[in-house]
């Protein structure tokens, strides 16, 4: 049997309608999927939408509708467009799908049980546009770009992913597998970033409600990046 081939587009954010960039990306993925099918390989081609987070919650509030209603409205634009263009994806994943929600909560609990996730408190600068806490260096870069108005000081109870525990393991892996980072000209950049020190990541929010609840602690919702990236499973 031929080696299976898996391809996915990024999943698209639903705070607005699709544009030419979304279309271009999906057409490229579709062409690659068609090629591998013609070569006789079993293909799994996925696309979909990223529907949680603060920007969606704000966009929905501005329209006076619920976040899920906004997501449904925007998703229809994607599914209609892709159908008209004859895209051949095997599944259109929505991060509001039940099986996605169960997968995210399952991995959160698994990492909590293993000690890779812990609860603490975070205080620092938060970028509203990026939906992420930023370091002092990142804050200076935003200020230099005239984007300091997007930063707010935020203090909240949060769950952290213990990323710092993986610094030495990652560097050892890079040393043993120099072809792991692709394209290869990015290898030194990635390695230097990790050598610069990895900080634990805040991966939950109590300041918003539109997201997947933390299992067993539902005043927290799981951070949109932790949630969205697991769709690729």
């Amino acid at each position: 049997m031929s080696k299976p081939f898996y391809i996915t587009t990024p999943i698209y954010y639903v705070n607005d309608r699709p544009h030419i960039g979304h279309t271009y990306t999906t057409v490229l993925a579709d062409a690659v999927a068609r090629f591998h099918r013609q070569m006789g390989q079993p293909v799994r081609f996925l696309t979909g939408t990223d529907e949680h987070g603060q920007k969606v919650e704000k966009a929905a509030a501005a329209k006076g509708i619920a976040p899920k209603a906004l997501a449904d409205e925007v998703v229809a634009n994607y599914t209609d467009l892709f159908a008209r263009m004859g895209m051949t994806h095997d599944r259109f994943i929505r991060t509001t799908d039940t099986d996605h929600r169960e997968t995210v909560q399952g991995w959160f609990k698994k990492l909590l049980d293993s000690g890779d996730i812990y609860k603490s408190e975070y205080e620092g600068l938060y970028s509203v546009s990026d939906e992420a806490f930023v370091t002092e260096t990142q804050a200076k870069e935003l200020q230099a770009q005239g984007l300091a108005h997007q930063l707010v000081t935020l203090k909240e109870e949060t769950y952290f992913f213990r990323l710092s525990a993986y610094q030495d393991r990652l560097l050892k892996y890079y040393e043993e597998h120099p072809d792991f980072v692709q394209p290869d000209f990015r290898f030194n950049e990635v390695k230097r970033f990790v050598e610069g020190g990895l900080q634990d990541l805040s991966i939950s929010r109590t300041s918003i409600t539109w997201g997947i609840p933390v299992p067993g602690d539902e005043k927290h919702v799981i951070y949109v990046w932790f949630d969205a990236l697991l769709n690729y499973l």
Side-chain angles (χ1 to χ4, degrees), residues 75-89:
V75 165
N77 290 306
Y78 282 97
T79 54
D80 291 350
L81 174 64
F82 293 170
R84 290 205 311 276
M85 296 186 68
M87 298 295 98
T88 61
H89 50 280

Side-chain angles (χ1 to χ4, degrees), residues 146-193:
L147 299 174
H149 63 281
Q150 296 179 0
L151 298 176
V152 295
T153 300
L154 197 62
K155 180 177 181 178
E156 64 178 346
E157 181 183 81
T158 185
Y159 285 88
F160 285 89
F161 174 69
R162 209 180 294 275
L163 183 63
S164 58
Y166 286 87
Q167 180 170 331
D168 292 341
R169 278 181 272 184
L170 279 169
L171 291 172
K172 184 173 185 290
Y173 193 86
Y174 297 154
E175 197 69 33
E176 295 171 353
H177 303 86
D179 60 343
F180 178 68
V181 177
Q182 295 293 331
D184 57 7
F185 64 82
R186 293 292 186 189
F187 178 82
N188 289 332
E189 178 186 344
V190 171
K191 186 179 177 184
R192 282 196 302 271
F193 178 83

Side-chain angles (χ1 to χ4, degrees), residues 42-146:
V43 170
R44 185 75 168 157
F45 168 28
L46 307 177
T47 188
T49 44
D50 175 5
E51 301 181 21
H52 293 128
Q54 190 174 35
K55 281 187 279 191
V56 175
E57 189 174 69
K58 281 188 152 188
K63 283 192 164 194
I65 60 176
K68 181 61 163 58
L70 175 64
D72 290 343
E73 180 183 303
V74 175
V75 165
N77 290 306
Y78 282 97
T79 54
D80 291 350
L81 174 64
F82 293 170
R84 290 205 311 276
M85 296 186 68
M87 298 295 98
T88 61
H89 50 280
D90 299 289
R91 178 168 174 192
F92 188 97
I93 296 170
R94 299 182 59 177
T95 57
T96 50
D97 289 342
T98 300
D99 61 343
H100 173 77
R101 173 185 172 128
E102 290 171 351
T103 296
V104 171
Q105 289 182 319
W107 274 101
F108 194 100
K109 188 173 185 309
K110 183 176 181 179
L111 292 169
L112 188 62
D113 291 344
S114 70
D116 283 301
I117 289 176
Y118 64 95
K119 187 197 277 190
S120 187
E121 193 173 71
Y122 189 95
E123 181 173 12
L125 291 173
Y126 181 80
S127 169
V128 176
S129 60
D130 295 324
E131 298 194 42
F133 287 105
V134 298
T135 64
E136 285 184 21
T137 301
Q138 291 169 323
K140 287 176 183 176
E141 289 173 356
L142 289 169
Q143 287 163 354
Q145 296 167 30

